[in-house]
Amino acid sequence: QVHLVESGGGSVQAGGSLRLSCLASGAMNSNSCMGWFRQAPGKEREGVATINTITGFSYSASSVKGRFTISQDNAKNTVYLQMDGLKPEDTAMYYCAVKSLGCYSDSWSSQNLFEYWGQGTQVTVSS
């Protein structure tokens, strides 16, 4: 069992920044894919960015490339999402999730493969 706790959400104006954190505890596989998904009101949940916990290689959605950066601190069992240049369309509940056996280009955002999820942290960007 793996427990994920997100933090760092909040309300900012467009152009601002936030850094989300996801602390993992429990029996997590060392070769995992850990990352962030988001769900805006009335929309389906989508992948934002994920990172391979062994290699540090990451994937991200085209909508956030150049603005969001995913990183990890394995010593702290924590994954971060640095969000810069925030836009109103980034407003959503952001969820941390993890799956075993690493991230791959054809499945990095396949939600059904992610075994554990956090409760989410709200990000609101005003114009």
Side-chain angles (χ1 to χ4, degrees):
Q1 189 77 12
V2 177
H3 187 53
L4 303 173
V5 178
E6 304 100 331
S7 61
S11 297
V12 297
Q13 290 191 326
S17 298
L18 284 172
R19 187 176 82 153
L20 305 183
S21 299
C22 175
L23 173 64
S25 61
M28 196 167 80
N29 191 304
S30 60
N31 181 23
S32 294
C33 181
M34 195 166 169
W36 296 93
F37 294 77
R38 68 184 180 185
Q39 186 168 22
K43 295 187 177 182
E44 294 187 355
R45 190 162 57 186
E46 62 178 358
V48 177
T50 58
I51 188 166
N52 186 302
T53 57
I54 284 186
T55 66
F57 193 83
S58 63
Y59 298 91
S60 61
S62 57
S63 59
V64 305
K65 281 186 187 297
R67 300 188 300 122
F68 292 10
T69 304
I70 189 169
S71 62
Q72 62 182 350
D73 185 336
N74 287 342
K76 296 181 179 180
N77 291 330
T78 300
V79 167
Y80 304 98
L81 185 68
Q82 177 66 43
M83 305 187 294
D84 299 317
L86 282 161
K87 304 176 181 179
E89 51 264 43
D90 295 318
T91 295
M93 183 71 78
Y94 283 70
Y95 298 92
C96 179
V98 65
K99 74 174 189 72
S100 300
L101 303 178
C103 308
Y104 299 92
S105 59
D106 60 348
S107 62
W108 71 270
S109 62
S110 298
Q111 300 179 44
N112 59 307
L113 299 179
F114 284 77
E115 300 142 310
Y116 301 100
W117 293 80
Q119 292 299 306
T121 185
Q122 178 68 38
V123 171
T124 302
V125 185
S126 58
S127 58

